[in-house]
Structures are given as C-alpha cells and as structure tokens.
PDB file of all heavy atoms in Angstrom:
ATOM      1  N   LEU A   1       0.849  -1.177   0.000  1.00 46.00           N
ATOM      2  CA  LEU A   1       0.000   0.000   0.000  1.00 46.00           C
ATOM      3  C   LEU A   1       0.886   1.228   0.000  1.00 46.00           C
ATOM      4  O   LEU A   1       1.760   1.369   0.842  1.00 46.00           O
ATOM      5  CB  LEU A   1      -0.898  -0.028   1.248  1.00 46.00           C
ATOM      6  CG  LEU A   1      -1.898   1.095   1.388  1.00 46.00           C
ATOM      7  CD1 LEU A   1      -2.882   1.057   0.225  1.00 46.00           C
ATOM      8  CD2 LEU A   1      -2.652   0.949   2.693  1.00 46.00           C
ATOM      9  N   LYS A   2       0.685   2.099  -0.963  1.00 49.00           N
ATOM     10  CA  LYS A   2       1.494   3.316  -1.051  1.00 49.00           C
ATOM     11  C   LYS A   2       0.631   4.517  -0.710  1.00 49.00           C
ATOM     12  O   LYS A   2      -0.562   4.518  -0.941  1.00 49.00           O
ATOM     13  CB  LYS A   2       2.073   3.465  -2.454  1.00 49.00           C
ATOM     14  CG  LYS A   2       3.061   2.377  -2.796  1.00 49.00           C
ATOM     15  CD  LYS A   2       3.686   2.625  -4.131  1.00 49.00           C
ATOM     16  CE  LYS A   2       4.694   1.519  -4.419  1.00 49.00           C
ATOM     17  NZ  LYS A   2       5.384   1.706  -5.649  1.00 49.00           N
ATOM     18  N   GLY A   3       1.259   5.523  -0.203  1.00 48.00           N
ATOM     19  CA  GLY A   3       0.534   6.730   0.161  1.00 48.00           C
ATOM     20  C   GLY A   3       0.111   6.683   1.607  1.00 48.00           C
ATOM     21  O   GLY A   3       0.425   5.758   2.347  1.00 48.00           O
ATOM     22  N   SER A   4      -0.621   7.688   2.027  1.00 53.00           N
ATOM     23  CA  SER A   4      -1.078   7.744   3.409  1.00 53.00           C
ATOM     24  C   SER A   4      -2.584   7.620   3.451  1.00 53.00           C
ATOM     25  O   SER A   4      -3.263   7.699   2.434  1.00 53.00           O
ATOM     26  CB  SER A   4      -0.647   9.065   4.043  1.00 53.00           C
ATOM     27  OG  SER A   4      -1.382  10.132   3.458  1.00 53.00           O
ATOM     28  N   ALA A   5      -3.095   7.441   4.640  1.00 52.00           N
ATOM     29  CA  ALA A   5      -4.544   7.334   4.802  1.00 52.00           C
ATOM     30  C   ALA A   5      -5.228   8.615   4.347  1.00 52.00           C
ATOM     31  O   ALA A   5      -6.365   8.594   3.882  1.00 52.00           O
ATOM     32  CB  ALA A   5      -4.877   7.020   6.257  1.00 52.00           C
ATOM     33  N   ALA A   6      -4.530   9.741   4.456  1.00 54.00           N
ATOM     34  CA  ALA A   6      -5.098  11.023   4.044  1.00 54.00           C
ATOM     35  C   ALA A   6      -5.273  11.108   2.528  1.00 54.00           C
ATOM     36  O   ALA A   6      -6.072  11.887   2.036  1.00 54.00           O
ATOM     37  CB  ALA A   6      -4.206  12.157   4.529  1.00 54.00           C
ATOM     38  N   ASP A   7      -4.511  10.290   1.785  1.00 56.00           N
ATOM     39  CA  ASP A   7      -4.619  10.306   0.331  1.00 56.00           C
ATOM     40  C   ASP A   7      -5.934   9.693  -0.136  1.00 56.00           C
ATOM     41  O   ASP A   7      -6.277   9.795  -1.305  1.00 56.00           O
ATOM     42  CB  ASP A   7      -3.461   9.527  -0.304  1.00 56.00           C
ATOM     43  CG  ASP A   7      -2.126  10.221  -0.089  1.00 56.00           C
ATOM     44  OD1 ASP A   7      -2.123  11.443   0.153  1.00 56.00           O
ATOM     45  OD2 ASP A   7      -1.101   9.525  -0.171  1.00 56.00           O
ATOM     46  N   GLY A   8      -6.650   9.029   0.786  1.00 54.00           N
ATOM     47  CA  GLY A   8      -7.932   8.441   0.435  1.00 54.00           C
ATOM     48  C   GLY A   8      -7.819   7.243  -0.483  1.00 54.00           C
ATOM     49  O   GLY A   8      -8.333   7.274  -1.591  1.00 54.00           O
ATOM     50  N   PRO A   9      -7.129   6.175  -0.053  1.00 55.00           N
ATOM     51  CA  PRO A   9      -7.027   5.002  -0.908  1.00 55.00           C
ATOM     52  C   PRO A   9      -8.413   4.412  -1.168  1.00 55.00           C
ATOM     53  O   PRO A   9      -9.353   4.640  -0.408  1.00 55.00           O
ATOM     54  CB  PRO A   9      -6.160   4.034  -0.104  1.00 55.00           C
ATOM     55  CG  PRO A   9      -6.335   4.462   1.322  1.00 55.00           C
ATOM     56  CD  PRO A   9      -6.554   5.949   1.266  1.00 55.00           C
ATOM     57  N   ALA A  10      -8.521   3.678  -2.256  1.00 54.00           N
ATOM     58  CA  ALA A  10      -9.800   3.090  -2.647  1.00 54.00           C
ATOM     59  C   ALA A  10     -10.302   2.094  -1.603  1.00 54.00           C
ATOM     60  O   ALA A  10     -11.495   1.909  -1.450  1.00 54.00           O
ATOM     61  CB  ALA A  10      -9.664   2.397  -3.991  1.00 54.00           C
ATOM     62  N   ILE A  11      -9.378   1.475  -0.881  1.00 61.00           N
ATOM     63  CA  ILE A  11      -9.782   0.548   0.175  1.00 61.00           C
ATOM     64  C   ILE A  11      -9.157   0.999   1.486  1.00 61.00           C
ATOM     65  O   ILE A  11      -8.074   1.574   1.514  1.00 61.00           O
ATOM     66  CB  ILE A  11      -9.382  -0.912  -0.133  1.00 61.00           C
ATOM     67  CG1 ILE A  11      -7.888  -1.033  -0.406  1.00 61.00           C
ATOM     68  CG2 ILE A  11     -10.183  -1.463  -1.278  1.00 61.00           C
ATOM     69  CD1 ILE A  11      -7.410  -2.442  -0.601  1.00 61.00           C
ATOM     70  N   ALA A  12      -9.862   0.732   2.559  1.00 68.00           N
ATOM     71  CA  ALA A  12      -9.353   1.105   3.881  1.00 68.00           C
ATOM     72  C   ALA A  12      -8.200   0.191   4.257  1.00 68.00           C
ATOM     73  O   ALA A  12      -8.050  -0.900   3.717  1.00 68.00           O
ATOM     74  CB  ALA A  12     -10.476   0.983   4.903  1.00 68.00           C
ATOM     75  N   ARG A  13      -7.412   0.636   5.197  1.00 77.00           N
ATOM     76  CA  ARG A  13      -6.310  -0.193   5.684  1.00 77.00           C
ATOM     77  C   ARG A  13      -6.894  -1.357   6.469  1.00 77.00           C
ATOM     78  O   ARG A  13      -7.791  -1.179   7.286  1.00 77.00           O
ATOM     79  CB  ARG A  13      -5.368   0.635   6.544  1.00 77.00           C
ATOM     80  CG  ARG A  13      -4.649   1.682   5.721  1.00 77.00           C
ATOM     81  CD  ARG A  13      -3.688   2.477   6.583  1.00 77.00           C
ATOM     82  NE  ARG A  13      -3.103   3.531   5.810  1.00 77.00           N
ATOM     83  CZ  ARG A  13      -1.939   3.427   5.184  1.00 77.00           C
ATOM     84  NH1 ARG A  13      -1.257   2.330   5.235  1.00 77.00           N
ATOM     85  NH2 ARG A  13      -1.463   4.435   4.491  1.00 77.00           N
ATOM     86  N   ILE A  14      -6.350  -2.526   6.203  1.00 79.00           N
ATOM     87  CA  ILE A  14      -6.816  -3.749   6.841  1.00 79.00           C
ATOM     88  C   ILE A  14      -5.604  -4.429   7.462  1.00 79.00           C
ATOM     89  O   ILE A  14      -4.547  -4.511   6.838  1.00 79.00           O
ATOM     90  CB  ILE A  14      -7.464  -4.695   5.813  1.00 79.00           C
ATOM     91  CG1 ILE A  14      -8.616  -3.987   5.112  1.00 79.00           C
ATOM     92  CG2 ILE A  14      -7.945  -5.969   6.473  1.00 79.00           C
ATOM     93  CD1 ILE A  14      -9.169  -4.765   3.930  1.00 79.00           C
ATOM     94  N   SER A  15      -5.777  -4.949   8.668  1.00 84.00           N
ATOM     95  CA  SER A  15      -4.646  -5.606   9.324  1.00 84.00           C
ATOM     96  C   SER A  15      -4.342  -6.931   8.635  1.00 84.00           C
ATOM     97  O   SER A  15      -5.221  -7.574   8.051  1.00 84.00           O
ATOM     98  CB  SER A  15      -4.941  -5.849  10.804  1.00 84.00           C
ATOM     99  OG  SER A  15      -5.871  -6.901  10.957  1.00 84.00           O
ATOM    100  N   ALA A  16      -3.088  -7.346   8.733  1.00 84.00           N
ATOM    101  CA  ALA A  16      -2.670  -8.621   8.140  1.00 84.00           C
ATOM    102  C   ALA A  16      -3.440  -9.776   8.753  1.00 84.00           C
ATOM    103  O   ALA A  16      -3.812 -10.727   8.059  1.00 84.00           O
ATOM    104  CB  ALA A  16      -1.165  -8.809   8.325  1.00 84.00           C
ATOM    105  N   ALA A  17      -3.720  -9.704  10.053  1.00 88.00           N
ATOM    106  CA  ALA A  17      -4.465 -10.781  10.728  1.00 88.00           C
ATOM    107  C   ALA A  17      -5.865 -10.929  10.145  1.00 88.00           C
ATOM    108  O   ALA A  17      -6.349 -12.051   9.951  1.00 88.00           O
ATOM    109  CB  ALA A  17      -4.530 -10.514  12.229  1.00 88.00           C
ATOM    110  N   GLU A  18      -6.518  -9.799   9.831  1.00 88.00           N
ATOM    111  CA  GLU A  18      -7.850  -9.853   9.226  1.00 88.00           C
ATOM    112  C   GLU A  18      -7.794 -10.468   7.830  1.00 88.00           C
ATOM    113  O   GLU A  18      -8.644 -11.277   7.461  1.00 88.00           O
ATOM    114  CB  GLU A  18      -8.463  -8.454   9.148  1.00 88.00           C
ATOM    115  CG  GLU A  18      -8.904  -7.896  10.479  1.00 88.00           C
ATOM    116  CD  GLU A  18      -9.487  -6.511  10.334  1.00 88.00           C
ATOM    117  OE1 GLU A  18      -8.708  -5.569  10.118  1.00 88.00           O
ATOM    118  OE2 GLU A  18     -10.722  -6.390  10.426  1.00 88.00           O
ATOM    119  N   ILE A  19      -6.789 -10.083   7.067  1.00 87.00           N
ATOM    120  CA  ILE A  19      -6.634 -10.626   5.716  1.00 87.00           C
ATOM    121  C   ILE A  19      -6.352 -12.120   5.786  1.00 87.00           C
ATOM    122  O   ILE A  19      -6.967 -12.911   5.069  1.00 87.00           O
ATOM    123  CB  ILE A  19      -5.517  -9.889   4.954  1.00 87.00           C
ATOM    124  CG1 ILE A  19      -5.934  -8.435   4.708  1.00 87.00           C
ATOM    125  CG2 ILE A  19      -5.202 -10.602   3.636  1.00 87.00           C
ATOM    126  CD1 ILE A  19      -4.833  -7.562   4.181  1.00 87.00           C
ATOM    127  N   GLU A  20      -5.434 -12.522   6.660  1.00 90.00           N
ATOM    128  CA  GLU A  20      -5.108 -13.941   6.802  1.00 90.00           C
ATOM    129  C   GLU A  20      -6.337 -14.743   7.199  1.00 90.00           C
ATOM    130  O   GLU A  20      -6.589 -15.823   6.655  1.00 90.00           O
ATOM    131  CB  GLU A  20      -3.996 -14.139   7.826  1.00 90.00           C
ATOM    132  CG  GLU A  20      -2.650 -13.655   7.337  1.00 90.00           C
ATOM    133  CD  GLU A  20      -1.593 -13.640   8.431  1.00 90.00           C
ATOM    134  OE1 GLU A  20      -1.894 -14.040   9.581  1.00 90.00           O
ATOM    135  OE2 GLU A  20      -0.468 -13.231   8.127  1.00 90.00           O
ATOM    136  N   GLY A  21      -7.118 -14.239   8.145  1.00 90.00           N
ATOM    137  CA  GLY A  21      -8.338 -14.931   8.570  1.00 90.00           C
ATOM    138  C   GLY A  21      -9.327 -15.082   7.434  1.00 90.00           C
ATOM    139  O   GLY A  21      -9.934 -16.151   7.255  1.00 90.00           O
ATOM    140  N   ALA A  22      -9.487 -14.018   6.642  1.00 88.00           N
ATOM    141  CA  ALA A  22     -10.410 -14.072   5.505  1.00 88.00           C
ATOM    142  C   ALA A  22      -9.916 -15.049   4.438  1.00 88.00           C
ATOM    143  O   ALA A  22     -10.709 -15.799   3.854  1.00 88.00           O
ATOM    144  CB  ALA A  22     -10.577 -12.676   4.901  1.00 88.00           C
ATOM    145  N   VAL A  23      -8.618 -15.067   4.183  1.00 90.00           N
ATOM    146  CA  VAL A  23      -8.052 -15.987   3.188  1.00 90.00           C
ATOM    147  C   VAL A  23      -8.243 -17.431   3.643  1.00 90.00           C
ATOM    148  O   VAL A  23      -8.669 -18.282   2.861  1.00 90.00           O
ATOM    149  CB  VAL A  23      -6.559 -15.680   2.924  1.00 90.00           C
ATOM    150  CG1 VAL A  23      -5.897 -16.792   2.129  1.00 90.00           C
ATOM    151  CG2 VAL A  23      -6.420 -14.346   2.199  1.00 90.00           C
ATOM    152  N   ILE A  24      -7.962 -17.703   4.904  1.00 91.00           N
ATOM    153  CA  ILE A  24      -8.131 -19.060   5.422  1.00 91.00           C
ATOM    154  C   ILE A  24      -9.590 -19.495   5.307  1.00 91.00           C
ATOM    155  O   ILE A  24      -9.887 -20.604   4.864  1.00 91.00           O
ATOM    156  CB  ILE A  24      -7.615 -19.162   6.874  1.00 91.00           C
ATOM    157  CG1 ILE A  24      -6.094 -19.048   6.887  1.00 91.00           C
ATOM    158  CG2 ILE A  24      -8.078 -20.456   7.536  1.00 91.00           C
ATOM    159  CD1 ILE A  24      -5.493 -18.860   8.260  1.00 91.00           C
ATOM    160  N   ALA A  25     -10.508 -18.624   5.686  1.00 90.00           N
ATOM    161  CA  ALA A  25     -11.935 -18.953   5.585  1.00 90.00           C
ATOM    162  C   ALA A  25     -12.335 -19.214   4.136  1.00 90.00           C
ATOM    163  O   ALA A  25     -13.076 -20.163   3.845  1.00 90.00           O
ATOM    164  CB  ALA A  25     -12.778 -17.825   6.180  1.00 90.00           C
ATOM    165  N   GLN A  26     -11.833 -18.400   3.213  1.00 89.00           N
ATOM    166  CA  GLN A  26     -12.182 -18.578   1.814  1.00 89.00           C
ATOM    167  C   GLN A  26     -11.584 -19.870   1.263  1.00 89.00           C
ATOM    168  O   GLN A  26     -12.250 -20.601   0.537  1.00 89.00           O
ATOM    169  CB  GLN A  26     -11.735 -17.387   0.972  1.00 89.00           C
ATOM    170  CG  GLN A  26     -12.319 -17.417  -0.423  1.00 89.00           C
ATOM    171  CD  GLN A  26     -12.134 -16.105  -1.162  1.00 89.00           C
ATOM    172  OE1 GLN A  26     -11.487 -15.183  -0.688  1.00 89.00           O
ATOM    173  NE2 GLN A  26     -12.702 -16.024  -2.347  1.00 89.00           N
ATOM    174  N   VAL A  27     -10.356 -20.189   1.629  1.00 89.00           N
ATOM    175  CA  VAL A  27      -9.726 -21.434   1.166  1.00 89.00           C
ATOM    176  C   VAL A  27     -10.498 -22.636   1.691  1.00 89.00           C
ATOM    177  O   VAL A  27     -10.791 -23.570   0.939  1.00 89.00           O
ATOM    178  CB  VAL A  27      -8.242 -21.502   1.591  1.00 89.00           C
ATOM    179  CG1 VAL A  27      -7.678 -22.899   1.404  1.00 89.00           C
ATOM    180  CG2 VAL A  27      -7.429 -20.490   0.792  1.00 89.00           C
ATOM    181  N   ARG A  28     -10.862 -22.612   2.960  1.00 88.00           N
ATOM    182  CA  ARG A  28     -11.619 -23.735   3.528  1.00 88.00           C
ATOM    183  C   ARG A  28     -12.955 -23.899   2.818  1.00 88.00           C
ATOM    184  O   ARG A  28     -13.406 -25.020   2.577  1.00 88.00           O
ATOM    185  CB  ARG A  28     -11.800 -23.534   5.027  1.00 88.00           C
ATOM    186  CG  ARG A  28     -10.475 -23.717   5.784  1.00 88.00           C
ATOM    187  CD  ARG A  28     -10.594 -23.442   7.241  1.00 88.00           C
ATOM    188  NE  ARG A  28     -11.302 -24.518   7.932  1.00 88.00           N
ATOM    189  CZ  ARG A  28     -11.579 -24.492   9.220  1.00 88.00           C
ATOM    190  NH1 ARG A  28     -11.209 -23.464   9.967  1.00 88.00           N
ATOM    191  NH2 ARG A  28     -12.212 -25.496   9.780  1.00 88.00           N
ATOM    192  N   GLY A  29     -13.583 -22.793   2.461  1.00 88.00           N
ATOM    193  CA  GLY A  29     -14.835 -22.859   1.706  1.00 88.00           C
ATOM    194  C   GLY A  29     -14.626 -23.376   0.292  1.00 88.00           C
ATOM    195  O   GLY A  29     -15.415 -24.178  -0.216  1.00 88.00           O
ATOM    196  N   LEU A  30     -13.545 -22.932  -0.350  1.00 86.00           N
ATOM    197  CA  LEU A  30     -13.257 -23.381  -1.714  1.00 86.00           C
ATOM    198  C   LEU A  30     -13.007 -24.880  -1.774  1.00 86.00           C
ATOM    199  O   LEU A  30     -13.351 -25.531  -2.771  1.00 86.00           O
ATOM    200  CB  LEU A  30     -12.045 -22.636  -2.272  1.00 86.00           C
ATOM    201  CG  LEU A  30     -12.278 -21.182  -2.679  1.00 86.00           C
ATOM    202  CD1 LEU A  30     -10.955 -20.495  -2.982  1.00 86.00           C
ATOM    203  CD2 LEU A  30     -13.217 -21.092  -3.870  1.00 86.00           C
ATOM    204  N   LEU A  31     -12.421 -25.443  -0.723  1.00 84.00           N
ATOM    205  CA  LEU A  31     -12.128 -26.877  -0.716  1.00 84.00           C
ATOM    206  C   LEU A  31     -13.396 -27.730  -0.675  1.00 84.00           C
ATOM    207  O   LEU A  31     -13.336 -28.931  -0.888  1.00 84.00           O
ATOM    208  CB  LEU A  31     -11.221 -27.235   0.463  1.00 84.00           C
ATOM    209  CG  LEU A  31      -9.813 -26.680   0.381  1.00 84.00           C
ATOM    210  CD1 LEU A  31      -9.019 -27.030   1.630  1.00 84.00           C
ATOM    211  CD2 LEU A  31      -9.095 -27.169  -0.865  1.00 84.00           C
ATOM    212  N   ARG A  32     -14.541 -27.087  -0.444  1.00 84.00           N
ATOM    213  CA  ARG A  32     -15.820 -27.806  -0.463  1.00 84.00           C
ATOM    214  C   ARG A  32     -16.561 -27.627  -1.781  1.00 84.00           C
ATOM    215  O   ARG A  32     -17.609 -28.225  -1.985  1.00 84.00           O
ATOM    216  CB  ARG A  32     -16.684 -27.337   0.702  1.00 84.00           C
ATOM    217  CG  ARG A  32     -16.140 -27.751   2.057  1.00 84.00           C
ATOM    218  CD  ARG A  32     -17.117 -27.423   3.179  1.00 84.00           C
ATOM    219  NE  ARG A  32     -17.189 -26.002   3.473  1.00 84.00           N
ATOM    220  CZ  ARG A  32     -16.426 -25.365   4.353  1.00 84.00           C
ATOM    221  NH1 ARG A  32     -15.513 -26.020   5.018  1.00 84.00           N
ATOM    222  NH2 ARG A  32     -16.571 -24.083   4.563  1.00 84.00           N
ATOM    223  N   GLN A  33     -16.021 -26.797  -2.675  1.00 87.00           N
ATOM    224  CA  GLN A  33     -16.679 -26.543  -3.959  1.00 87.00           C
ATOM    225  C   GLN A  33     -16.435 -27.704  -4.922  1.00 87.00           C
ATOM    226  O   GLN A  33     -15.285 -28.123  -5.117  1.00 87.00           O
ATOM    227  CB  GLN A  33     -16.147 -25.252  -4.583  1.00 87.00           C
ATOM    228  CG  GLN A  33     -16.415 -24.024  -3.761  1.00 87.00           C
ATOM    229  CD  GLN A  33     -17.889 -23.737  -3.620  1.00 87.00           C
ATOM    230  OE1 GLN A  33     -18.665 -23.857  -4.566  1.00 87.00           O
ATOM    231  NE2 GLN A  33     -18.305 -23.390  -2.415  1.00 87.00           N
ATOM    232  N   PRO A  34     -17.489 -28.236  -5.537  1.00 86.00           N
ATOM    233  CA  PRO A  34     -17.331 -29.395  -6.427  1.00 86.00           C
ATOM    234  C   PRO A  34     -16.313 -29.185  -7.551  1.00 86.00           C
ATOM    235  O   PRO A  34     -15.538 -30.090  -7.864  1.00 86.00           O
ATOM    236  CB  PRO A  34     -18.737 -29.607  -6.999  1.00 86.00           C
ATOM    237  CG  PRO A  34     -19.648 -28.962  -6.021  1.00 86.00           C
ATOM    238  CD  PRO A  34     -18.879 -27.834  -5.398  1.00 86.00           C
ATOM    239  N   GLU A  35     -16.277 -27.995  -8.145  1.00 88.00           N
ATOM    240  CA  GLU A  35     -15.350 -27.768  -9.255  1.00 88.00           C
ATOM    241  C   GLU A  35     -13.895 -27.761  -8.779  1.00 88.00           C
ATOM    242  O   GLU A  35     -12.993 -28.189  -9.494  1.00 88.00           O
ATOM    243  CB  GLU A  35     -15.691 -26.494 -10.032  1.00 88.00           C
ATOM    244  CG  GLU A  35     -15.653 -25.218  -9.231  1.00 88.00           C
ATOM    245  CD  GLU A  35     -16.935 -24.875  -8.482  1.00 88.00           C
ATOM    246  OE1 GLU A  35     -17.851 -25.703  -8.406  1.00 88.00           O
ATOM    247  OE2 GLU A  35     -16.997 -23.763  -7.949  1.00 88.00           O
ATOM    248  N   VAL A  36     -13.659 -27.291  -7.552  1.00 85.00           N
ATOM    249  CA  VAL A  36     -12.310 -27.295  -6.991  1.00 85.00           C
ATOM    250  C   VAL A  36     -11.888 -28.722  -6.672  1.00 85.00           C
ATOM    251  O   VAL A  36     -10.765 -29.138  -6.961  1.00 85.00           O
ATOM    252  CB  VAL A  36     -12.234 -26.392  -5.737  1.00 85.00           C
ATOM    253  CG1 VAL A  36     -10.890 -26.526  -5.037  1.00 85.00           C
ATOM    254  CG2 VAL A  36     -12.491 -24.939  -6.122  1.00 85.00           C
ATOM    255  N   VAL A  37     -12.800 -29.493  -6.084  1.00 83.00           N
ATOM    256  CA  VAL A  37     -12.515 -30.894  -5.759  1.00 83.00           C
ATOM    257  C   VAL A  37     -12.231 -31.684  -7.031  1.00 83.00           C
ATOM    258  O   VAL A  37     -11.280 -32.469  -7.086  1.00 83.00           O
ATOM    259  CB  VAL A  37     -13.689 -31.520  -4.973  1.00 83.00           C
ATOM    260  CG1 VAL A  37     -13.477 -33.011  -4.770  1.00 83.00           C
ATOM    261  CG2 VAL A  37     -13.854 -30.817  -3.633  1.00 83.00           C
ATOM    262  N   LEU A  38     -13.022 -31.459  -8.071  1.00 84.00           N
ATOM    263  CA  LEU A  38     -12.806 -32.153  -9.343  1.00 84.00           C
ATOM    264  C   LEU A  38     -11.450 -31.782  -9.935  1.00 84.00           C
ATOM    265  O   LEU A  38     -10.715 -32.651 -10.419  1.00 84.00           O
ATOM    266  CB  LEU A  38     -13.931 -31.823 -10.327  1.00 84.00           C
ATOM    267  CG  LEU A  38     -13.862 -32.506 -11.686  1.00 84.00           C
ATOM    268  CD1 LEU A  38     -13.935 -34.019 -11.533  1.00 84.00           C
ATOM    269  CD2 LEU A  38     -14.982 -31.999 -12.581  1.00 84.00           C
ATOM    270  N   GLY A  39     -11.091 -30.507  -9.879  1.00 84.00           N
ATOM    271  CA  GLY A  39      -9.785 -30.077 -10.377  1.00 84.00           C
ATOM    272  C   GLY A  39      -8.638 -30.703  -9.593  1.00 84.00           C
ATOM    273  O   GLY A  39      -7.631 -31.116 -10.174  1.00 84.00           O
ATOM    274  N   ALA A  40      -8.808 -30.810  -8.281  1.00 83.00           N
ATOM    275  CA  ALA A  40      -7.780 -31.443  -7.445  1.00 83.00           C
ATOM    276  C   ALA A  40      -7.633 -32.913  -7.815  1.00 83.00           C
ATOM    277  O   ALA A  40      -6.521 -33.431  -7.923  1.00 83.00           O
ATOM    278  CB  ALA A  40      -8.137 -31.305  -5.968  1.00 83.00           C
ATOM    279  N   TRP A  41      -8.747 -33.582  -8.014  1.00 82.00           N
ATOM    280  CA  TRP A  41      -8.697 -35.007  -8.380  1.00 82.00           C
ATOM    281  C   TRP A  41      -8.009 -35.196  -9.732  1.00 82.00           C
ATOM    282  O   TRP A  41      -7.149 -36.056  -9.888  1.00 82.00           O
ATOM    283  CB  TRP A  41     -10.095 -35.606  -8.411  1.00 82.00           C
ATOM    284  CG  TRP A  41     -10.127 -36.988  -8.979  1.00 82.00           C
ATOM    285  CD1 TRP A  41      -9.591 -38.113  -8.419  1.00 82.00           C
ATOM    286  CD2 TRP A  41     -10.676 -37.386 -10.226  1.00 82.00           C
ATOM    287  NE1 TRP A  41      -9.791 -39.187  -9.250  1.00 82.00           N
ATOM    288  CE2 TRP A  41     -10.452 -38.770 -10.366  1.00 82.00           C
ATOM    289  CE3 TRP A  41     -11.349 -36.702 -11.243  1.00 82.00           C
ATOM    290  CZ2 TRP A  41     -10.879 -39.489 -11.475  1.00 82.00           C
ATOM    291  CZ3 TRP A  41     -11.778 -37.413 -12.336  1.00 82.00           C
ATOM    292  CH2 TRP A  41     -11.534 -38.790 -12.447  1.00 82.00           C
ATOM    293  N   ARG A  42      -8.384 -34.388 -10.698  1.00 83.00           N
ATOM    294  CA  ARG A  42      -7.758 -34.505 -12.028  1.00 83.00           C
ATOM    295  C   ARG A  42      -6.254 -34.274 -11.962  1.00 83.00           C
ATOM    296  O   ARG A  42      -5.481 -34.966 -12.611  1.00 83.00           O
ATOM    297  CB  ARG A  42      -8.409 -33.524 -12.999  1.00 83.00           C
ATOM    298  CG  ARG A  42      -9.790 -33.945 -13.421  1.00 83.00           C
ATOM    299  CD  ARG A  42     -10.402 -32.952 -14.367  1.00 83.00           C
ATOM    300  NE  ARG A  42     -11.693 -33.431 -14.834  1.00 83.00           N
ATOM    301  CZ  ARG A  42     -12.626 -32.658 -15.347  1.00 83.00           C
ATOM    302  NH1 ARG A  42     -12.400 -31.352 -15.476  1.00 83.00           N
ATOM    303  NH2 ARG A  42     -13.776 -33.169 -15.742  1.00 83.00           N
ATOM    304  N   ALA A  43      -5.842 -33.292 -11.176  1.00 83.00           N
ATOM    305  CA  ALA A  43      -4.412 -33.013 -11.052  1.00 83.00           C
ATOM    306  C   ALA A  43      -3.700 -34.117 -10.265  1.00 83.00           C
ATOM    307  O   ALA A  43      -2.566 -34.477 -10.590  1.00 83.00           O
ATOM    308  CB  ALA A  43      -4.205 -31.660 -10.363  1.00 83.00           C
TER     309      ALA A  43
END
C-alpha cells in the first residue's frame, strides 16, 4: 500500500491478521466446492 490514509485510498487499511483470517476462511470454503474438488482429483 502506497501513500497515506489522508490520500484516500480506494480501500481502507486492513490488518494482516484480518486478511489472513479471511483468506483461510475462503480457502476452507473453496475446498468444499465441487469444481475445486474435481480439479484437485484430475491433477
């Protein structure tokens, strides 16, 4: 992220812990998606 909060970035500053938690939740959800499971099996 470049610039300061005063520059008004398009997205607010988010802590790394929040991002990591969201990524983990999304990955766990993706592992239940049929198309992801099928792709894993094929690979």
Side-chain angles (χ1 to χ4, degrees):
L1 183 62
K2 294 185 179 183
S4 69
D7 292 338
I11 55 175
R13 293 181 185 266
I14 302 171
S15 73
E18 287 179 286
I19 294 170
E20 289 171 2
V23 168
I24 290 169
Q26 191 168 5
V27 167
R28 289 176 74 182
L30 286 170
L31 292 177
R32 292 187 287 270
Q33 298 296 318
E35 60 274 10
V36 173
V37 173
L38 182 61
W41 171 68
R42 287 180 176 160

